[in-house]
Amino acid sequence: GNINHAVCRWCYNDIPMEDFCVGAKEIGIKGIDLVGPKDWPILKKFGLHSSMCNGAEINLVDGWNDTAFHAQLIRNYSEMIPLVAAAGYTNLICFSGNRRGKDDETGLKNCTDGLKQIMSLAEKNNVMVVMELLNSRVDHKDYQCDKTAWGVELSKRIGSPNFKLLYDIYHMQIDEGDVIRTI
């Protein structure tokens, strides 16, 4: 009873949301990841938590590492952060985006410059902006935030208690291996 399991919505997109919530409750699931505002009322109806909200990101490949997307991302996150807080949730996903030829330092600088523009709003609303580490070898070719050290450096540069990393063991095992030692 001391572990609260959650499942990721996109893995079950072919199941209608209400049916999915019924099944999740039946097997003891407490939350569903990557659920946006339109489905929050359904989660609440079934007493489930949106453990990682989404809906502000553009997609996985167009992210904070490219200044061409900053205006849209800042607008999206500035609108979404208060919605997440008002709904009683605390975590909101974000993505670095694909490298598209950018070296690590350029990607870090661009992510830092963009994300810093929304962090005071996240802090004010007690919302954690969480960047997921994804593998770039198998599932997400060219994704920039694909190494723990890169994500940790980004977190240091942003310097906010409301910016976190989602350390996905599956993805980091593929790109780095030896996840226990890394953790």
Side-chain angles (χ1 to χ4, degrees):
N2 62 353
I3 297 175
N4 296 315
H5 292 285
V7 293
C8 195
R9 175 64 181 138
W10 70 263
C11 298
Y12 304 96
N13 277 337
D14 57 330
I15 302 172
M17 188 62 168
E18 290 218 11
D19 295 343
F20 183 58
C21 288
V22 168
K25 284 293 283 190
E26 285 176 359
I27 63 171
I29 298 296
K30 303 293 186 195
I32 301 178
D33 287 341
L34 302 180
V35 175
K38 76 175 182 65
D39 288 326
W40 293 343
I42 298 170
L43 290 184
K44 289 180 185 261
K45 174 182 172 182
F46 290 94
L48 293 164
H49 183 70
S50 183
S51 38
M52 181 63 71
C53 300
N54 74 338
E57 72 282 357
I58 298 169
N59 54 50
L60 295 176
V61 301
D62 301 326
W64 290 100
N65 69 343
D66 192 328
T67 58
F69 303 116
H70 281 188
Q72 182 178 355
L73 287 166
I74 291 165
R75 186 171 45 256
N76 291 359
Y77 280 84
S78 294
E79 292 171 4
M80 185 65 73
I81 288 168
L83 294 177
V84 169
Y89 302 133
T90 55
N91 297 315
L92 180 59
I93 196 80
C94 75
F95 301 101
S96 66
N98 282 9
R99 293 175 195 280
R100 296 185 176 116
K102 284 181 279 313
D103 60 64
D104 282 349
E105 182 55 37
T106 300
L108 281 166
K109 181 183 182 327
N110 291 348
C111 283
T112 301
D113 292 348
L115 284 159
K116 276 189 170 187
Q117 295 182 59
I118 62 163
M119 293 317 302
S120 63
L121 182 63
E123 291 166 8
K124 176 182 162 195
N125 284 275
N126 199 30
V127 168
M128 300 296 156
V129 176
V130 183
M131 183 172 287
E132 187 168 6
L133 293 146
L134 298 171
N135 81 74
S136 60
R137 291 179 53 197
V138 176
D139 301 295
H140 304 286
K141 300 283 187 193
D142 203 42
Y143 186 74
Q144 187 133 39
C145 187
D146 63 348
K147 300 287 186 291
T148 305
W150 193 93
V152 168
E153 180 60 27
L154 176 61
S155 185
K156 288 177 181 177
R157 290 182 186 196
I158 291 172
S160 170
N162 289 69
F163 180 80
K164 304 289 183 193
L165 297 174
L166 192 164
Y167 185 86
D168 191 309
I169 292 171
Y170 164 79
H171 288 292
M172 291 303 90
Q173 178 60 37
I174 290 171
D175 267 6
E176 298 181 321
D178 201 7
V179 294
I180 299 303
R181 190 178 319 258
T182 302
I183 290 170

